[in-house]
Amino acid sequence: MVDLIAERPFMLTFILLAFAVASAYGWMQTGKRAGLVIAGVFLLLIPIGIYVEKIWVTDRESLVDSILQVAEALQANDHARVFQFIDPDAEPAIQSAKAELPRFHFDRAQVNMGGFRKFEIRSDLQPPEAIVDFTINVTVSMKDKSHTNAQVPRRLIVKFRKSGDIWRALEYTHLPVIGDPDGMSPNGGRPPTF
């Protein structure tokens, strides 16, 4: 229910509108005023639901926002900003990112929002943690000029920890979209776990 209210305003609007129409139809069939009042209440709930959705930011929305901000920083080749999204206690992730990123120049970094392979948030942990498995499409050149403007889709599996309102990476790996880890996969392509 929380998901419906906080993340799907169009679905909520459709449901409330359907109830309003059904209540109005009931009023027209019976002539009882209660049906009209109920229809009006459902109609009034629509803007309230949209307002609540706008101000209520769920952990999922906040996590997706962090992922998109990292993609923007990658595309801008702003390594310092990328590092801000890595947990300061995650020394292996910091070292891996510092070793990898300077070798590349990104022209494009786009997260595939069509779906996530895995999106698991553990709110029972303090602070909350999450593992997200998604695809990112990048246009990248090697700084040594061995590859230029290569369009590369990569599968990223990232473990996050919530720090205030920001989700920061604890561990990550990236792999080819299909198949086994390759020579570019950090940690041997071993996915992070809780």
Side-chain angles (χ1 to χ4, degrees):
M1 186 65 164
V2 169
D3 177 52
L4 179 66
I5 294 170
E7 295 181 3
R8 299 182 183 176
F10 296 113
M11 180 65 76
L12 179 64
T13 298
F14 177 77
I15 291 169
L16 291 171
L17 191 57
F19 284 141
V21 168
S23 299
Y25 180 76
W27 166 71
M28 290 186 331
Q29 295 300 312
T30 64
K32 293 188 178 179
R33 186 175 165 181
L36 183 61
V37 170
I38 292 171
V41 168
F42 282 125
L43 289 174
L44 285 174
L45 286 175
I46 291 172
I48 293 170
I50 291 170
Y51 175 75
V52 168
E53 186 276 331
K54 293 290 182 209
I55 63 169
W56 188 355
V57 178
T58 65
D59 279 342
R60 181 181 174 91
E61 290 171 323
S62 175
L63 186 48
V64 168
D65 184 56
S66 291
I67 291 168
L68 293 174
Q69 287 185 50
V70 170
E72 284 178 15
L74 273 177
Q75 185 167 311
N77 292 287
D78 186 350
H79 299 165
R81 193 163 142 224
V82 171
F83 297 142
Q84 290 176 353
F85 286 93
I86 300 175
D87 192 288
D89 296 332
E91 193 60 36
I94 293 169
Q95 293 306 318
S96 181
K98 283 184 177 180
E100 280 190 288
L101 288 178
R103 297 177 19 216
F104 302 100
H105 176 80
F106 293 90
D107 290 315
R108 180 178 65 99
Q110 181 179 8
V111 176
N112 180 356
M113 297 303 291
F116 294 92
R117 294 175 188 228
K118 180 178 185 178
F119 204 112
E120 184 178 350
I121 297 175
R122 294 278 311 267
S123 297
D124 58 319
L125 300 175
Q126 287 303 322
E129 293 183 0
I131 294 180
V132 183
D133 184 345
F134 61 100
T135 304
I136 187 167
N137 298 303
V138 297
T139 302
V140 64
S141 300
M142 299 283 289
K143 293 269 177 104
D144 66 6
K145 306 283 188 209
S146 61
H147 293 84
T148 57
N149 294 325
Q151 294 185 12
V152 182
R154 293 296 282 181
R155 176 181 173 198
L156 261 67
I157 306 170
V158 186
K159 180 178 182 179
F160 292 93
R161 178 183 295 151
K162 192 170 185 182
S163 175
D165 291 336
I166 299 173
W167 289 86
R168 299 185 196 286
L170 287 173
E171 297 176 55
Y172 74 95
T173 193
H174 53 84
L175 319 148
V177 175
I178 299 173
D180 296 328
D182 58 12
M184 301 296 284
S185 301
N187 308 321
R190 180 185 49 81
T193 59
F194 287 113

